[in-house]
Amino acid sequence: MTGYCQLGPISHKIKPVASLDPIQHDASPKLRRSTNLFFQQFLKHPATISEFHSYAEFLYACLLEGDPTIHAFVPQPFQLWVGNRRYTPDVYVRHTNGSINIVELKPDKALSTSLKEPLTAFFSRHRMNFVVIDNNEVQARELEALNWLRINQILVRFQNLDTSIQEVELEEIFFQCGRRQLQDFISRENRQAGMTSEIALLRLLHNGVLSADLGQEPLNYTTELVYAHSLA
């Protein structure tokens, strides 16, 4: 949880400090000194740089980036008055179907009922779902998250490269054969020569047109890519 201290008895009155428009809020110098800070640019967070205050938050953002059902996310999206204290949720998550989750990451989902219930009711009135996720569940997917971090970093670096033609051609290949390995398109000896195809493949993976099991080993030349529609 970001920007929130353990409370004694509190009023259940909750209201926004400003608005519920999701814009990442800057952490105080005191908070930054007391947490593990991570900075990273992500495609699905429309900001120059994203800031995270724990390793679990950072890994969770990587997993969101790799989930094709997620349209966008915003860390520390807004602040609320909970009684007479300020509270900042960890992540605002908008799904491609339009639904919105407000996510709180906690060890063992350790959020008191006296706080969870009023927050759940508050966000429900604003057509948002309040979700508490166990840090351990996120950290158990560390390898998958780090694979998506690597993919995101490559796609951010080459985000202005036009690969639309290559994406159409590659999707046709996968439509015909169902699955291939990265090394079928990228040369180990001359990776640069296949860079456009590599970016196109990673974009198809990022968009959910292709899928891969990224939780078992680091992304490599033998990683198998599967045409997602063939799984239906």
Side-chain angles (χ1 to χ4, degrees):
M1 181 184 295
T2 302
Y4 176 77
C5 300
Q6 289 294 327
L7 303 179
I10 63 170
S11 165
H12 287 177
K13 184 177 181 181
I14 301 175
K15 63 180 181 179
V17 171
S19 76
L20 293 179
D21 294 333
I23 301 173
Q24 181 164 27
H25 283 66
D26 293 332
S28 67
K30 180 179 178 180
L31 178 62
R32 285 177 170 170
R33 288 193 298 269
S34 64
T35 59
N36 294 322
L37 285 176
F38 296 87
F39 298 93
Q40 178 63 50
Q41 185 176 0
F42 283 99
L43 294 172
K44 292 183 180 179
H45 177 208
T48 303
I49 199 73
S50 305
E51 178 179 319
F52 306 94
H53 305 139
S54 73
Y55 189 50
E57 288 181 26
F58 178 61
L59 292 180
Y60 185 63
C62 297
L63 294 172
L64 292 175
E65 189 64 54
D67 186 342
T69 70
I70 303 302
H71 174 70
F73 65 89
V74 180
Q76 297 88 50
F78 40 69
Q79 294 182 324
L80 303 175
W81 285 113
V82 180
N84 62 352
R85 302 290 184 91
R86 291 192 186 217
Y87 161 69
T88 305
D90 287 328
V91 195
Y92 169 103
V93 181
R94 179 180 288 276
H95 294 257
T96 54
N97 64 6
S99 64
I100 297 171
N101 286 355
I102 306 301
V103 177
E104 183 67 34
L105 292 160
K106 295 286 289 182
D108 302 317
K109 296 186 179 180
L111 188 68
S112 67
T113 301
S114 63
L115 181 60
K116 182 179 179 181
E117 289 183 352
L119 283 171
T120 299
F122 172 82
F123 286 119
S124 179
R125 291 196 298 272
H126 293 276
R127 299 183 179 180
M128 303 180 195
N129 306 304
F130 183 61
V131 181
V132 182
I133 295 178
D134 188 343
N135 285 2
N136 296 324
E137 294 176 8
V138 174
Q139 291 174 341
R141 299 172 64 188
E142 180 181 30
L143 178 56
E144 180 186 355
L146 294 178
N147 275 325
W148 278 114
L149 173 62
R150 180 183 175 191
I151 292 169
N152 172 76
Q153 289 171 334
I154 294 172
L155 294 181
V156 166
R157 179 181 176 187
F158 292 97
Q159 59 186 308
N160 295 323
L161 178 65
D162 183 6
T163 60
S164 54
I165 294 176
Q166 288 79 8
E167 289 174 48
V168 171
E169 293 174 347
L170 287 167
E171 185 171 358
E172 180 60 28
I173 291 173
F174 279 91
F175 177 77
Q176 296 295 331
C177 67
R179 62 187 65 215
R180 300 287 288 272
Q181 292 184 344
L182 269 176
Q183 64 185 355
D184 295 329
F185 305 95
I186 305 168
S187 170
R188 294 172 183 260
E189 290 73 28
N190 188 5
R191 182 182 175 191
Q192 189 64 36
M195 184 57 67
T196 303
S197 292
E198 179 178 347
I199 301 307
L201 284 167
L202 295 182
R203 283 178 176 160
L204 292 174
L205 185 61
H206 183 258
N207 293 334
V209 175
L210 302 179
S211 65
D213 184 357
L214 298 178
Q216 300 302 313
E217 61 181 11
L219 184 72
N220 60 71
Y221 287 101
T222 62
T223 296
E224 187 174 64
L225 304 176
V226 180
Y227 189 51
H229 296 291
S230 68
L231 298 176

